[in-house]
């Protein structure tokens, strides 16, 4: 049979065709009225997409650039910061804050688990314990775990109500568009997204919202930042500009993607975002139900909607599963990273992804396992579980327990 190449990876994700067309057609200069209008509309749409009234900035870099900006602009060497770490991306916050000379304390959990709120509560104490910032992930893409952003936000608010001065920064690079947040209500000072995840376009743009409290902090001395000077970007953004040459084609693609998301709900972008989140939620539940029906374990104790990390059958390296998906179906799924290599395969449900993708990858998973797994595989068992899950979740007022 012919094969179509498809990405099921937690970034980059499948590209939206109208966004690809917009990108190819973007022959504009960035200091023109046309581009200004495009940028202002995109920033305003991103505010709606994030669900915030805070300022939103767009940076030409991958997601990590916005992470670095939120360390360089908010801290100085010697500042005490708290990092939640339970995977490779939590470790990225740890390494980044250490690079900028922060005094880093960790609230951690083993790979596959979520950081316990109690551990965070202990570190923060009654009054924030002198921590200047708290950095965390909404979803830890290396393990498939969802962290409790709302719960941590509550602890930060409590500490700050008792005299603490903790800024709250969330890497929601795979969280935005898959998870519900109340950014302003919870008091998230900076939330970060990336273009190559739920927004269906290539890597190269990061976006972030910045609270008034975070802007105030930036008036105090902090580490040097030049390309990632957020205050300079804010001044430019107010005029529909960026401080330096932006990734123009990607901005055009992003505008088209946000239009597509809005159009999926009759032009209402916030409703379109909810549809996007539901798609990830249902697809993730279908995948979990299928994996479990096929006798496989999930890697994450509290699984995210963005991706599903699945433990391979005993004595089977997950690399063989990843390879078989690729060779047999040209489907790209992700292996574990670092120490987790060989111990899981990850199927993402991010962005431009629908029922047929979700059910297709489950069907492929059965045939892949039937070929490489030492354990017997009952063809159809995973598909049936996924179908039942879909049927339950799309019937009003019921949910799928998987
Ligand atoms: C993809 C991702 C990032 C950003 O990585 P880049 O390669 O810099 O785009 C950061 N955090 C999480 C949780 C991610 O999934």
């Amino acid at each position: 049979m012919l094969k179509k190449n498809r990405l099921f990876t937690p970034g980059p994700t499948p590209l939206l065709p109208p966004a690809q067309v917009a990108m190819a057609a973007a022959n504009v200069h960035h200091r023109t009225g046309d581009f200004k209008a495009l940028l202002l509309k995109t920033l305003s749409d991103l505010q709606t997409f994030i669900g915030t009234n805070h300022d939103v900035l767009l940076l030409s870099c991958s997601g990590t650039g916005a992470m670095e900006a939120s360390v360089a602009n908010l801290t100085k060497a010697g500042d005490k910061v708290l990092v939640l770490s339970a995977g490779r991306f939590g470790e990225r916050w740890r390494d980044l804050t250490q690079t900028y000379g922060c005094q880093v304390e960790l609230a951690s959990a083993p790979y596959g688990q979520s950081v316990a709120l109690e551990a965070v509560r202990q570190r923060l104490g009654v009054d924030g314990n002198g921590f200047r910032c708290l950095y965390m992930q909404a979803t830890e893409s290396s393990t498939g775990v969802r962290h409790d952003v709302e719960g941590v936000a509550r602890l930060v608010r409590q500490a700050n109500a008792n005299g603490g001065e903790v800024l709250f920064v969330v890497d929601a690079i795979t969280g935005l568009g898959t998870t519900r947040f109340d950014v302003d209500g919870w008091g998230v000072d900076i939330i970060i997204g990336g273009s190559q995840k739920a927004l269906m376009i290539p890597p190269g743009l990061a976006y972030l919202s910045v609270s008034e409290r975070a802007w105030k902090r930036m008036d105090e001395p902090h580490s040097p930042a030049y390309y990632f000077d957020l205050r300079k970007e804010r001044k430019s953004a107010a005029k529909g500009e960026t401080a330096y040459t932006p990734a123009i084609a990607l901005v055009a693609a992003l505008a088209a993607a946000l239009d597509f998301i809005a159009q999926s709900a009759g032009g209402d972008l916030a409703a379109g975002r909810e549809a996007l989140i539901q798609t990830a939620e249902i697809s993730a539940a279908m995948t979990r139900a299928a994996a479990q029906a096929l006798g496989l374990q999930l890697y994450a104790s509290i699984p995210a909607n963005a991706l599903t990390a699945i433990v391979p059958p005993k004595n089977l390296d997950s690399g063989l599963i990843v390879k078989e998906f690729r060779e047999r179906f040209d489907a790209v799924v992700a292996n574990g990273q670092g120490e987790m290599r060989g111990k899981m395969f990850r199927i993402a449900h991010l962005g431009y992804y629908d029922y047929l993708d979700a059910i297709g990858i489950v069907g492929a998973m059965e045939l892949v396992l039937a070929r490489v797994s030492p354990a017997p595989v009952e063809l159809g068992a995973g598909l049936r579980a996924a179908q039942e899950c879909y049927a339950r979740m799309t019937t009003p007022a019921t949910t799928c327990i998987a």
Side-chain angles (χ1 to χ4, degrees), residues 62-75:
S62 82
T64 308
M67 293 171 73
E68 177 147 3
S70 63
V71 174
N73 287 266
L74 295 183
T75 69

Side-chain angles (χ1 to χ4, degrees), residues 239-301:
K239 295 180 285 180
E241 292 184 7
T242 51
Y244 309 105
T245 311
I248 295 170
L250 290 175
V251 178
L254 179 56
L258 289 162
D259 272 349
F260 170 81
I261 295 168
Q263 287 317 314
S264 74
D268 178 344
L269 181 54
R273 175 196 61 212
E274 179 55 28
L276 190 63
I277 293 172
Q278 276 174 19
T279 302
E281 197 167 46
I282 295 170
S283 303
M286 288 167 69
T287 308
R288 292 196 299 268
Q292 288 171 321
L294 292 167
L296 301 178
Q297 306 274 325
L298 303 176
Y299 192 87
S301 59

Side-chain angles (χ1 to χ4, degrees), residues 217-230:
R217 178 71 58 87
M218 286 182 237
D219 293 336
E220 298 176 30
H222 56 77
S223 288
Y226 186 84
Y227 189 71
F228 291 135
D229 181 341
L230 294 179

Side-chain angles (χ1 to χ4, degrees), residues 10-12 61-65 67 89-90 92-93 137-142 171-175 192 194-197 203-205 307 350:
C61 55
S62 82
T64 308
M67 293 171 73
F89 290 101
R92 189 168 296 182
W93 277 133
Q137 268 67 39
T139 54
E140 173 52 75
S141 317
S142 69
D171 161 6
I173 295 175
T174 49
I192 302 169
S195 55
Q196 81 275 32
K197 311 283 173 128
L205 289 179
L307 72 153
L350 263 166

Side-chain angles (χ1 to χ4, degrees), residues 63-255:
T64 308
M67 293 171 73
E68 177 147 3
S70 63
V71 174
N73 287 266
L74 295 183
T75 69
K76 59 182 181 307
D79 274 5
K80 247 180 97 175
V81 302
L82 181 58
V83 167
L84 270 60
S85 179
R88 304 281 288 184
F89 290 101
E91 289 159 12
R92 189 168 296 182
W93 277 133
R94 178 198 64 197
D95 296 347
L96 243 168
T97 49
Q98 275 171 356
T99 298
Y100 279 87
C102 295
Q103 207 184 310
V104 186
E105 283 189 33
L106 298 177
S108 37
Y111 289 169
Q113 291 179 32
S114 177
V115 175
L117 286 185
E118 196 41 44
V120 180
R121 191 197 312 276
Q122 274 172 19
R123 300 287 187 299
L124 287 177
V126 181
D127 62 355
N129 235 334
F131 286 112
R132 300 285 283 161
C133 290
L134 184 155
Y135 294 96
M136 74 180 292
Q137 268 67 39
T139 54
E140 173 52 75
S141 317
S142 69
T143 63
V145 161
R146 172 206 298 263
H147 288 314
D148 184 357
V149 177
E150 185 176 11
V152 174
R154 194 175 308 119
L155 296 175
V156 172
R157 286 201 306 278
Q158 277 164 11
N160 288 343
N162 291 317
E165 292 190 339
V166 188
L167 292 181
F168 184 33
V169 181
V170 180
D171 161 6
I173 295 175
T174 49
L176 284 158
T178 63
T179 314
R180 296 174 186 90
F181 300 106
D182 179 0
V183 172
D184 301 4
W186 295 350
V188 181
D189 292 295
I190 290 189
I191 192 162
I192 302 169
S195 55
Q196 81 275 32
K197 311 283 173 128
L199 284 175
M200 318 172 179
I201 67 167
L205 289 179
Y207 57 100
L208 68 169
S209 75
V210 184
S211 73
E212 264 327 301
R213 279 193 327 151
W215 289 122
K216 284 220 178 69
R217 178 71 58 87
M218 286 182 237
D219 293 336
E220 298 176 30
H222 56 77
S223 288
Y226 186 84
Y227 189 71
F228 291 135
D229 181 341
L230 294 179
R231 291 190 300 175
K232 192 161 53 187
E233 283 300 338
R234 182 193 204 187
K235 281 196 194 118
S236 299
K239 295 180 285 180
E241 292 184 7
T242 51
Y244 309 105
T245 311
I248 295 170
L250 290 175
V251 178
L254 179 56

Side-chain angles (χ1 to χ4, degrees), residues 367-386:
L367 290 171
V368 164
L369 289 168
R371 168 122 1 135
V372 301
S373 173
V377 173
E378 187 199 336
L379 292 183
L383 282 166
R384 184 197 303 139

